[in-house]
Amino acid sequence: MKAIINATLVMTDHLIPRATVVIDNGRIADFGRKINTDGMEIIDAKEAYLGPGLIDIHTHSDGETFFTEDPVKVANTLLSHGVTDVLAALYFNADGETLIRQVNQLKEAASQTKNLRGLYMEAPYMNPKFGGNRENNPWCRPICREDYLPIVEAAKGFAKVWVVAPERDGIEAFVKDVKSLDPNAVFSVGHSEAEPHQIEALMPDGLKLATHHTNATGTLQKYPECRAACVDETALYNESIYTELICDKIGIHVAPYMLRLIKKIKGDDRIILIADAFVDHAPIPSDELYEGADDINFDFSGEIAGSKMILDGPCRNMMVHTGASLCQVFKYASTNPATLLGMTDRGRIAKGNVANLVLVDAEFHVKSVFLNGEQVK
């Protein structure tokens, strides 16, 4: 057994200063302020903040390398930043044969990595109008069961989230086929200009997430000079829908005022921070709007294409832009994604939970990382 002592524990709604966490066989055996640690291996947290390991449900890379290029390297880099659970995101710019190869590659890699838990399928059926690198989208043709079923078969059980554009003809059949093969699959609305009724029609089948909220979503203009409700408004209106946020340091993906508005409307239980890191080697556009945007990824057309961040970065940025507390950002980056995915044994400090833990300072700089109770940083 081991004990992490002199820690400020970050709970979901409060802090416990000068506390101890006892780890036994990779799980949290006990925690609190009056713990007998006789005979245990002692790790002194030196009053730093100890929270649950970060869970990134949506990232393609570590900002330098795609998961599909070197999954072990990417997973280990993320782990060193406190990401103890990650879903590798695949993108719609790959054809069916390539997607199946990538799925199988990452399945194999999961056995060689410590924190790769599955896939986030940002493919195949989204609205071809939206998203970085959209000129390379091979999925603009009509939805066809013969095209998608081999991908779904290959990914079933390993793909945890499927992103869809609800306005696409035939999407209901795709969703039902995925759900029949994997009842636990979560669906997300993304790269879409769907109307509220189209999104809400898929909610009974498991749509409960909005992919990178306010990014790559359409604005409906039904009448001149009048803005109708679209994807972002539907996600805000429906309490059961979680909203993903890419929170970069200068507030390009989501403006700071918008972050504060989303936080006010959705509350602390329905926000999920993501990195959505991609890899393009295009320069930052010369437009002064993007000055200092060195944590954002751009494609070669000059458009935003995800970020260069790892999840501890969005946590820091969310604190700066919204005044969120450590308790809140740990919820956004650990508790809430765990709840969305049904990971009941992680995402919070609790007896019996997996001892995936991260030690940070007051500004969310990662000091130490524990995976299954073992210190990996």
Side-chain angles (χ1 to χ4, degrees):
M1 296 177 71
K2 67 183 68 172
I4 303 172
I5 65 170
N6 295 328
T8 300
L9 304 190
V10 185
M11 312 305 286
T12 57
D13 57 3
H14 65 287
L15 302 174
I16 305 178
R18 299 178 298 281
T20 296
V21 170
V22 176
I23 299 170
D24 186 19
N25 198 28
R27 292 187 176 266
I28 298 172
D30 202 358
F31 66 91
R33 295 190 65 176
K34 295 181 179 180
I35 303 291
N36 185 349
T37 60
D38 290 348
M40 298 182 192
E41 175 189 346
I42 301 298
I43 301 167
D44 190 347
K46 299 179 180 177
E47 299 185 3
Y49 297 88
L50 187 68
L54 307 183
I55 301 173
D56 195 344
I57 66 168
H58 181 176
T59 193
H60 304 260
S61 78
D62 59 4
E64 297 179 347
T65 307
F66 280 116
F67 264 107
T68 52
E69 293 174 327
D70 191 341
V72 174
K73 179 258 187 185
V74 175
N76 287 339
T77 302
L78 268 56
L79 183 59
S80 71
H81 285 256
V83 180
T84 56
D85 297 90
V86 62
L87 301 185
L90 300 183
Y91 201 51
F92 63 70
N93 59 356
D95 61 22
E97 200 172 288
T98 302
L99 280 173
I100 291 171
R101 185 171 66 251
Q102 291 173 342
V103 167
N104 291 331
Q105 173 196 10
L106 289 166
K107 275 185 179 178
E108 182 178 349
S111 65
Q112 304 167 24
T113 60
K114 299 176 180 179
N115 55 341
L116 176 56
R117 309 296 180 206
L119 298 175
Y120 184 101
M121 296 298 292
E122 203 171 7
Y125 293 124
M126 290 168 285
N127 191 315
K129 295 180 183 179
F130 302 103
N133 297 286
R134 59 184 175 272
E135 64 277 5
N136 296 318
N137 185 350
W139 297 98
C140 301
R141 59 187 182 273
I143 293 175
C144 173
R145 198 167 189 263
E146 291 181 357
D147 289 341
Y148 70 71
L149 201 56
I151 301 169
V152 177
E153 288 276 8
K156 66 179 179 181
F158 193 56
K160 309 301 182 184
V161 178
W162 294 82
V163 185
V164 296
E167 70 272 26
R168 290 199 61 168
D169 290 337
I171 200 67
E172 297 89 349
F174 171 79
V175 167
K176 290 188 182 301
D177 277 338
V178 172
K179 200 69 175 178
S180 67
L181 288 169
D182 184 2
N184 295 319
V186 171
F187 295 94
S188 183
V189 54
H191 296 253
S192 169
E193 58 182 0
E195 296 187 48
H197 74 276
Q198 295 169 315
I199 298 168
E200 291 169 351
L202 298 181
M203 290 174 65
D205 290 312
L207 190 149
K208 51 185 175 181
L209 180 65
T211 293
H212 42 54
H213 191 65
T214 77
N215 299 130
T217 50
T219 299
L220 294 180
Q221 298 290 141
K222 280 194 171 183
Y223 308 101
E225 300 180 357
C226 295
R227 190 181 193 280
C230 192
V231 176
D232 301 324
E233 292 77 13
T234 308
L236 292 175
Y237 181 79
N238 284 278
E239 293 180 4
S240 62
I241 294 180
Y242 292 77
T243 53
E244 294 178 358
L245 296 175
I246 307 171
C247 192
D248 56 73
K249 69 182 182 183
I250 63 173
I252 295 296
H253 280 92
V254 190
Y257 193 94
M258 181 64 77
L259 287 168
R260 296 192 286 272
L261 175 64
I262 294 166
K263 181 172 175 284
K264 183 175 183 178
I265 294 172
K266 295 305 291 185
D268 289 340
D269 295 335
R270 290 293 183 270
I271 290 172
I272 294 178
L273 290 174
I274 61 170
D276 192 17
F278 214 72
V279 182
D280 278 311
H281 299 289
I284 299 173
S286 57
D287 191 319
E288 64 180 13
L289 175 68
Y290 299 116
E291 185 177 349
D294 56 8
D295 60 352
I296 297 175
N297 186 75
F298 296 89
D299 65 22
F300 283 91
S301 67
E303 292 194 17
I304 294 171
S307 83
K308 297 179 181 178
M309 298 183 290
I310 299 176
L311 193 53
D312 55 331
C315 290
R316 283 192 295 277
N317 298 332
M318 190 72 174
M319 294 172 72
V320 171
H321 293 320
T322 72
S325 68
L326 281 169
C327 291
Q328 289 173 312
V329 294
F330 268 110
K331 284 198 77 171
Y332 306 156
S334 186
T335 311
N336 294 349
T339 303
L340 171 75
L341 298 177
M343 294 178 170
T344 58
D345 65 348
R346 64 202 66 207
R348 66 183 70 223
I349 295 177
K351 290 182 182 180
N353 272 11
V354 174
N356 288 351
L357 302 164
V358 58
L359 201 63
V360 301
D361 66 14
E363 296 181 347
F364 219 97
H365 296 104
V366 174
K367 302 299 183 183
S368 297
V369 181
F370 299 85
L371 183 73
N372 298 318
E374 297 298 323
Q375 188 167 359
V376 295
K377 176 181 176 179

